[in-house]
Structure formats: C-alpha cells, structure tokens
Amino acid sequence: MTAAVAIAAMVLSGCGGDKKDGVAPLVKPVVTTSAAAGPFQDLTADEVLRRAETSMKAASSMTVDMSFVSDGKPMQIKEALTGSGKCAAAMRIEGTAFQIIAIGTTGYLKADAHYWETKGGSKGKAVAPLLAGKWVKLPPKLYAQSGFDMLCTIKGMIGTMSSDDNEGTLVKGHPTVLDGRPVLPLIHHKSGDVTTVYVTTTGNPYVVKVVTPSGPDRGSGTFGGFGKPAHIAAPPRSQTVDLSAYTGPDGDGFSV
C-alpha cells in the first residue's frame, strides 16, 4: 500500500489548506526483491502489491480505519466508500472532530462551532453559530480544493497511494493468518523504518492491514468491506445549510 497516511495527514492537518510535502507516507510502493515460495510464488512482492491495489480499485465498496501520528499529532479516520463516488467519513485531529459525506463532486461537512470559527477567516465568529452541528454543503470549488476528494473515492485514494513506486525495498514475509484470513505479509524497509502490508491470499487479493509500529509517522490502517453494500446518501435538506449563502459561489474566505 502507499501514502494512505500521508493523504489523511495532509487533509486532516490542513483541512483544505497547504499541501505539505514533508509528511512521510505510512507505506510507499517500492522496489521488489525476491519471490519466495508460498502464495503468489510466481510473483514478486511488488507484483503482489500491484495486483492487490488493482483489485481494490475495482471494488464496488470498501471501508477504511486508520489511526496514526503525524508531526506529533494523533489523527484518526474512519470511512466507507463506493466505486460510484460516494463516501461517508468521520475524522479527528487532536481534539477537533468532523464528519464528511460526499456524493460525487458534492461535499457536505459537519463540525462544531470552534471548527467553523477557525476555518471561516474574518467571517468565522459570525457564521459559526449558524453552521455548528449542521451539515454544511460546500461550494464546488472549495470542496475541490479541500483534498477530501483524495480520501473520498476509491480510485482516487488507491491511485494516489500508489504514486511513489521506486523507494526502499519490499520483500515477502512468511504466510500467516490475520483475523481469521490467510494473508501474505509484505515488508517494506526504507530509511530505517519498517512497515508491514498484509495481502489476502484467497479470492481477490486485497490489502487488509498496514502497520508502521515506530517512527515519526507511525500508525496502522485496516481495509475491508470489499463489495459489501454501503448505504450512503446526502443529508436531509432540513439539516443542511448551503455555505455559499455566506461566502458566495466559490467559498471565498473559508478553508475546510
């Protein structure tokens, strides 16, 4: 797997702000070494990872649960995504929590008054009481700039996660069982850090867990729910506020 944590860290820490280049990913696609006997014995470690990522991109739905530390900040994200471009996510960075629903290119965000005070610039204090605890429909331009689209589509997430493919070494570990499922660990070594990526060995290959136990961007992520129905819909209009009513069509003055 690749830059899942880098993506989430960028979105959660910036919440649509600057895209920092210095955040290391939880896992990067890497240069392969040997192809040991066992599951996928005719494939190199890199080829196993690529095959798993291809299966994930083709899935009609999936779930993600990540918990990690980036730049000393604890962050969490839980979400369900569909291949048709729907997403429901709950995120937290330190003490700030918010929720997202995405239906294609339309994004809705729900957060407390403090969040909107900090994201609304000069208008923050005035609009925070009107937006707090409600689903806020984001102007299309603001949503497109937020970075949430990288987290809220399967192809977008996996595609970005596999963007760096020539760093470190990736080797096969010994086949094992994880949560009752046979898996093949793929072990990534880079700059003294070790990350283990677990790929299922029966049925379609999927990455189901990624673990970096130590380092500045330590954490873990689990992936599941492949192909299971995910019922995601836009929030009720009665609970929705259109941010463009306060900012204009482009969300000027706000960052999310």
Side-chain angles (χ1 to χ4, degrees):
M1 215 56 179
T2 67
V5 164
I7 298 167
M10 180 188 72
V11 173
L12 290 177
S13 60
C15 292
D18 295 335
K19 291 178 170 59
K20 299 179 180 180
D21 295 327
V23 180
L26 182 62
V27 187
K28 284 175 170 279
V30 292
V31 177
T32 311
T33 57
S34 63
F40 307 117
Q41 59 182 315
D42 57 335
L43 301 177
T44 64
D46 184 72
E47 289 169 340
V48 173
L49 182 59
R50 296 288 81 74
R51 183 171 291 189
E53 290 173 342
T54 298
S55 294
M56 294 171 81
K57 284 183 181 180
S60 61
S61 61
M62 65 181 286
T63 60
V64 179
D65 187 347
M66 292 190 288
S67 179
F68 55 96
V69 174
S70 182
D71 292 335
K73 300 176 180 179
M75 303 181 185
Q76 297 87 36
I77 174 173
K78 292 185 178 183
E79 65 176 331
L81 309 92
T82 73
S84 61
K86 296 181 180 181
C87 164
M91 305 185 187
R92 179 181 292 274
I93 173 172
E94 296 181 297
T96 302
F98 53 97
Q99 301 174 60
I100 296 168
I101 292 177
I103 309 295
T105 58
T106 302
Y108 303 85
L109 192 150
K110 188 175 184 179
D112 62 14
H114 175 71
Y115 177 92
W116 291 112
E117 285 181 10
T118 60
K119 299 302 178 182
S122 61
K123 301 177 182 178
K125 287 188 177 180
V127 301
L130 303 174
L131 304 180
K134 297 180 180 178
W135 284 106
V136 178
K137 183 179 180 180
L138 303 177
K141 184 177 179 179
L142 184 60
Y143 178 72
Q145 293 173 342
S146 69
F148 290 139
D149 56 334
M150 290 187 293
L151 288 172
C152 281
T153 64
I154 293 177
K155 289 185 178 180
M157 173 180 276
I158 304 303
T160 304
M161 288 161 57
S162 59
S163 60
D164 298 331
D165 54 4
N166 291 303
E167 298 186 36
T169 58
L170 189 69
V171 299
K172 292 179 179 179
H174 296 291
T176 186
V177 175
L178 178 69
D179 298 328
R181 301 183 68 177
V183 294
L184 177 67
L186 304 178
I187 303 167
H188 172 225
H189 297 265
K190 181 178 181 292
S191 302
D193 293 329
V194 179
T195 297
T196 304
V197 183
Y198 296 91
V199 177
T200 57
T201 59
T202 57
N204 290 326
Y206 296 117
V207 173
V208 289
K209 190 168 186 177
V210 177
V211 180
T212 301
S214 61
D217 294 291
R218 61 194 178 276
S220 64
T222 58
F223 305 83
F226 300 105
K228 294 183 178 180
H231 303 291
I232 301 170
R237 288 188 179 183
S238 61
Q239 300 175 24
T240 303
V241 176
D242 194 330
L243 187 62
S244 64
Y246 305 98
T247 66
D250 294 333
D252 294 337
F254 275 72
S255 62
V256 296

